[in-house]
């Protein structure tokens, strides 16, 4: 297994639209293992392939306290959404240190392939539902700060670029 380098906002590659995974083969299984290791090491609850500069429809999530209930969704598709929505506090490993509220469906049903390439249906609510929606946005090239006002988004962009400049010194 290997730790993968993350892309950080405002890297334009975060806006790439991911393509479907053509086959769940050895390459994809290795990518899943590496993404899980990267997510756990970064103390995240989710990670989309987009964030490690792989533009294929694959996300990994673990919202469990024990960090032992990984969910792997390949070619995920939302097949149902609740009528209720709520504003939830979100963060993003690609936008470190920034947290803000985003409106999301309370519950969703998603169909996808698992790490073994088997079809599965996931009914999600609470943090799992929020996290799946956040990760699926990444696959569409959307970062959560794009839901915020242009003023907030520009302030975040400036802050990130300054931090990246200082880190590369
Ligand atoms: O996609 C990512 O960058 C991972 C992201 C997932 C996420 C967190 C919170 C709401 C929606 C999606 C993170 O894991 S950020 C770090 C984190 O662990 C966290 C931050 C805020 C609330 C809960 C967890
Ligand atoms: Zn994110």
């Amino acid at each position: 297994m290997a730790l993968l380098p993350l892309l950080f906002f405002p890297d334009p590659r975060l806006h790439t639209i991911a393509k479907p995974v053509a086959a769940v083969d050895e390459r994809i299984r290795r990518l899943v293992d590496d993404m899980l290791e990267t997510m756990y090491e970064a103390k995240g609850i989710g990670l989309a392939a987009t964030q490690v500069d792989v533009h294929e429809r694959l996300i990994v999530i673990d919202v469990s306290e024990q960090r032992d209930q990984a969910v792997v969704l390949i070619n995920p598709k939302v097949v149902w959404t609740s009528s209720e929505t709520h504003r939830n506090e979100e963060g993003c490993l690609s936008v470190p240190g920034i947290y803000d509220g985003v409106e999301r469906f309370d519950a969703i049903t998603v169909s996808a392939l698992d790490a073994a390439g088997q079809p599965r249906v996931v009914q999600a609510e609470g943090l799992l539902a929020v996290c799946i929606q956040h990760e699926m946005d990444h696959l569409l090239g959307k970062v959560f700060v794009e839901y915020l006002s242009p003023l907030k988004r520009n302030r975040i962009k400036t802050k990130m670029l300054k931090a990246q400049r200082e880190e590369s010194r």
Side-chain angles (χ1 to χ4, degrees), residues 70-73 110-114 118-122:
V71 176
V72 176
L73 299 175
V110 175
S111 71
L113 300 179
D114 65 17
Q118 294 303 306
R120 60 174 296 189
V121 173
V122 177

Side-chain angles (χ1 to χ4, degrees), residues 39 42-48 51 67 89-95 99 104 127 130-132 134-135 138:
M39 176 189 76
K43 306 215 174 343
I45 56 169
L47 189 68
Q51 294 174 278
R67 314 288 279 152
E89 191 83 346
E90 297 193 11
C92 182
L93 298 175
S94 295
V95 198
Y99 301 89
R104 301 285 191 189
L127 187 55
V130 171
C131 194
I132 293 174
H134 175 111
E135 303 309 336
H138 276 304

